[in-house]
């Protein structure tokens, strides 16, 4: 009765024919049963009707072992299909992840490019508008700071430098005062675009006049030792709101990146 389970598979499972066709030739021939045995098996398996018609040994040899093989193949196929599906899924997930990373990188690159372009545009605009800041003097030594000194407040920063050392406008602005004042000696006041007013004092030479527009780095005169001065130096004061309210030039210059000395 070992062939009973096969019956259903054999007749109902014609879709498996292509699989049977792939069986090795040697397998079929070596398992051909004698006709009588075959006939008996057919009767057992399929009933009288089948036995009366000519039973075919080729049908009979598709019995126990072959069924088992077919099942094994089926199981193996199923496993392979499952494995393939899993691999495809894993592969597509990896592809998606990779694509995501590539897109993120592309986005980051685009953002960086956009930011760089915006920064460059801002710098170009600032340069066009003269809004950059430059050092008032290129070389020198800070000799005296802002604060209490010799019984009174020192409202500026002193930078020692040889007489004749060039002095420059720190940014775009207008000269609001230029001339010789008793204690300050040669003095130039510039109001910049942001409202800040700078005072340069003890100058030996003044090369701008009141009302003149200046751009960053424009020459305004030279270092000197005029007025109440003990040695050639630049006395620089910073008045952020334009009134006579000086602040310590050191942090102000430092913040602008134009600290001298
Ligand atoms: Zn001073």
């Amino acid at each position: 009765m070992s062939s009973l389970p096969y019956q259903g598979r054999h007749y109902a499972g014609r879709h498996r024919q292509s699989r049977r066709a792939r069986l090795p030739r040697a397998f079929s021939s070596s398992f051909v049963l004698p006709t009588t045995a075959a006939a008996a098996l057919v009767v057992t398996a399929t009933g009288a009707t089948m036995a009366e018609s000519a039973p075919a040994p080729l049908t009979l040899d598709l019995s126990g072992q072959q069924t088992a093989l077919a099942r094994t193949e089926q199981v193996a196929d199923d496993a392979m299909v499952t494995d393939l599906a899993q691999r495809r899924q894993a592969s597509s997930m990896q592809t998606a992840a990779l694509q995501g990373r590539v897109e993120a990188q592309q986005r980051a690159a685009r953002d960086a490019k956009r930011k760089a372009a915006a920064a460059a545009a801002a710098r170009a605009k600032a340069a066009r508008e003269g809004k950059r800041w430059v050092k008032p003097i290129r070389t020198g030594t800070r000799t005296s700071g802002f604060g209490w000194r010799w019984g009174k407040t020192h409202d500026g920063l002193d930078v020692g430098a040889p007489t004749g050392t060039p002095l420059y406008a720190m940014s775009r602005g207008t000269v609001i005062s230029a001339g010789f004042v008793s204690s300050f000696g040669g003095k130039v006041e510039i109001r910049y675009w942001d409202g800040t007013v700078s005072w340069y004092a003890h100058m030996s030479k003044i090369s701008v006049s009141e009302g003149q527009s200046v751009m960053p780095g424009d020459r305004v005169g030279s270092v000197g030792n005029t007025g109440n001065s003990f040695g050639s130096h630049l006395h620089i004061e910073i008045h952020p709101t334009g009134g006579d309210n000086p602040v310590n030039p050191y942090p102000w210059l430092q913040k602008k990146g134009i600290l001298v000395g």
Side-chain angles (χ1 to χ4, degrees):
M1 289 301 173
S2 63
S3 62
L4 266 176
Y6 174 68
Q7 186 187 2
R9 287 198 65 81
H10 177 59
Y11 287 101
R14 291 199 184 278
H15 63 283
R16 302 290 301 167
Q17 273 181 2
S18 61
R19 194 172 305 285
R20 281 202 306 277
R22 288 208 310 274
L23 288 173
R25 200 180 299 271
F27 184 85
S28 302
S29 55
S30 62
F31 282 90
V32 170
L33 299 169
T35 310
T36 48
L41 275 171
V42 168
V43 170
T44 312
T46 65
T49 313
M50 198 61 196
E52 282 160 14
S53 61
L58 274 176
T59 304
L60 289 165
D61 81 46
L62 296 170
S63 55
Q65 294 91 335
Q66 200 166 345
T67 304
L69 181 66
R71 280 179 184 152
T72 307
E73 276 190 336
Q74 180 64 59
V75 169
D77 280 2
D78 289 349
M80 199 185 293
V81 166
T82 305
D83 183 46
L84 270 175
Q86 282 170 348
R87 278 198 234 169
R88 275 198 202 100
Q89 195 182 2
S91 172
S92 67
M93 280 167 75
Q94 280 171 352
T95 305
L98 189 64
Q99 200 173 347
R101 280 204 297 277
V102 167
E103 281 170 6
Q105 280 173 355
Q106 286 171 341
R107 252 196 318 278
R110 276 198 301 275
D111 286 353
K113 204 172 167 183
R114 203 177 300 127
K115 274 181 193 161
R123 278 198 302 275
K125 186 169 180 277
R128 258 199 322 277
E129 295 174 354
K131 286 181 175 175
R132 68 197 175 96
W133 295 85
V134 301
K135 289 183 177 187
I137 184 171
R138 288 184 189 147
T139 55
T141 308
R142 286 193 305 275
T143 53
S144 186
F146 180 89
W148 199 254
R149 187 185 66 169
W150 302 327
K152 59 174 188 171
T153 55
H154 180 230
D155 291 337
L157 179 72
D158 290 347
V159 181
T163 294
T165 302
L167 296 173
Y168 306 99
M170 289 186 283
S171 194
R172 192 192 73 202
T174 306
V175 176
I176 57 172
S177 169
F180 284 82
V181 186
S182 59
S183 60
F184 285 105
K187 182 175 177 235
V188 169
E189 293 183 25
I190 300 171
R191 175 174 283 118
Y192 296 101
W193 58 270
D194 70 344
T196 306
V197 172
S198 70
W199 293 6
Y200 296 173
H202 311 305
M203 295 166 71
S204 62
K205 185 186 165 194
I206 293 171
S207 20
V208 288
S209 50
E210 192 179 321
Q212 187 178 330
S213 292
V214 289
M215 288 297 277
D218 277 0
R219 179 82 182 264
V220 298
S222 306
V223 171
N225 189 28
T226 57
N228 287 343
S229 175
F230 306 93
S232 184
H233 74 284
L234 164 69
H235 169 94
I236 181 171
E237 290 188 19
I238 299 296
H239 302 255
T241 56
D244 192 358
N245 57 344
V247 295
N248 188 350
Y250 187 101
W252 188 91
L253 293 166
Q254 197 173 38
K255 200 176 170 188
K256 295 266 189 292
I258 56 171
L259 187 62
V260 291

